[in-house]
Amino acid sequence: MKLTSEQLLKPTVLSTDPKLTSAADSANTMIKADLELLMAGTVAGTVDASLISQWVSLDDELAVTLDEGALTAWVDELAAACNTVGTQRTYTRSDGKVVTVAGGTYGWEVDKDALLALVKDGVANGAANTVDIPCTQTGDAYNGAGSRDWGARYMDVDLSEQHARLYDASGAVIWESDIITGKPDGEHDTPTGVYMVNAKQSPSKLIGYNGNEKIYETEVQYWMPFVGNYIGFHDADWQPAFGGTLYADGVGSHGCVNLPPSKAAELYGMLSSGDTVVSHW
């Protein structure tokens, strides 16, 4: 048997095909993209030729496309590495105590949809620049996952010491007080985590429910919530004393941070909406 060129499979696309030439031009434009992605001035990710080449493919019509699944997975991975809301952070307080805290609503949260659009547009146009990663929520500082991401000014609620401190922008304690926090029964515990003061009201009426049943209604003079509108700082003139183990000895709150009335008045004049609150053991 003799095989000749007649028996060979003939190519369906030749190097001279204008579609192929156009596709090559498009792909070459894409891999020219070089994006440096920043979180608060820190490089958190890079999109370059080595990465883009993994996303580029040709469809049956010889059109260049990006692998949406691979690109989305990469964006999700980068966002997860950058997000700090609710994550565990470890920091050293100014008095030397090392604290580890997790949970809360404060921190950095990447806008994944906006980031995906930004990367797709940058790659399509072969852009080479430095851009900030879009976020739906930002913090005062960014030091990567696991590190403190709030500034020097913040409210420190130490549940183990039953003591709260307000630090100013220089890191100095400008207010402090013994406190009584939630009864440690698994239902009324004061939540741990990093939060923000979200309102101030004076006076205010605190109402608690168990299902549809109202279990208490108390008027306070100073209300400064940081977990929704149900956990916050307030005066508690009914408490016999503050600090120590009183929170576990029968006078623990329903989760709020109880303060002596005079201390609550001082704090109300110093604390602002948006101030960071760190609640920890």
Side-chain angles (χ1 to χ4, degrees):
M1 179 180 291
K2 183 177 181 180
L3 298 178
T4 69
S5 60
E6 294 301 317
Q7 282 74 46
L8 296 178
L9 183 65
K10 301 297 188 295
T12 58
V13 179
L14 302 177
S15 62
T16 56
D17 191 309
K19 287 185 178 181
L20 190 61
T21 302
S22 176
D25 290 342
S26 296
N28 286 331
T29 296
M30 289 181 176
I31 62 172
K32 288 179 182 178
D34 190 357
L35 303 175
E36 197 172 55
L37 304 174
L38 306 181
M39 283 286 283
T42 300
V43 178
T46 302
V47 177
D48 55 19
S50 62
L51 184 60
I52 298 167
S53 63
Q54 302 174 38
W55 300 336
V56 175
S57 62
L58 290 177
D59 63 19
D60 293 340
E61 299 299 321
L62 298 182
V64 175
T65 61
L66 290 177
D67 185 331
E68 288 280 344
L71 178 53
T72 300
W74 182 85
V75 166
D76 289 344
E77 184 178 348
L78 178 62
C82 293
N83 291 338
T84 66
V85 175
T87 61
Q88 180 172 290
R89 293 96 139 180
T90 298
Y91 68 101
T92 302
R93 206 166 60 189
S94 60
D95 60 359
K97 180 174 181 176
V98 178
V99 176
T100 296
V101 62
T105 55
Y106 170 92
W108 296 77
E109 189 77 41
V110 173
D111 185 335
K112 292 193 292 186
D113 290 340
L115 176 58
L116 179 62
L118 183 152
V119 172
K120 286 175 65 175
D121 184 67
V123 171
N125 293 298
N129 50 34
T130 298
V131 293
D132 291 323
I133 293 176
C135 293
T136 57
Q137 181 176 303
T138 61
D140 297 326
Y142 185 78
N143 298 297
S147 299
R148 172 173 168 167
D149 56 353
W150 57 91
R153 179 182 171 86
Y154 79 102
M155 189 77 178
D156 188 283
V157 179
D158 195 318
L159 301 173
S160 58
E161 294 178 359
Q162 289 291 287
H163 198 79
R165 303 169 178 85
L166 175 61
Y167 294 87
D168 68 7
S170 71
V173 177
I174 57 173
W175 175 95
E176 61 181 314
S177 175
D178 285 337
I179 58 179
I180 288 181
T181 58
K183 184 179 180 181
D185 59 3
E187 183 179 351
H188 300 103
D189 307 66
T190 298
T192 57
V194 187
Y195 302 89
M196 291 174 287
V197 176
N198 55 62
K200 292 174 64 178
Q201 189 175 39
S202 177
S204 183
K205 186 172 290 185
L206 308 183
I207 303 174
Y209 290 90
N210 183 8
N212 293 324
E213 179 187 0
K214 183 189 294 185
I215 56 176
Y216 68 85
E217 182 175 327
T218 306
E219 183 170 299
V220 297
Q221 296 304 306
Y222 307 101
W223 174 232
M224 297 157 276
F226 57 89
V227 181
N229 193 42
Y230 63 94
I231 300 292
F233 305 99
H234 66 77
D235 50 297
D237 59 7
W238 57 87
Q239 294 289 16
F242 294 85
T245 60
L246 288 169
Y247 78 105
D249 295 338
V251 297
S253 73
H254 287 87
C256 286
V257 180
N258 287 184
L259 299 170
S262 62
K263 285 294 185 178
E266 292 174 3
L267 183 62
Y268 192 84
M270 303 170 75
L271 203 60
S272 301
S273 291
D275 280 340
T276 305
V277 177
V278 183
S279 175
H280 63 86
W281 288 98

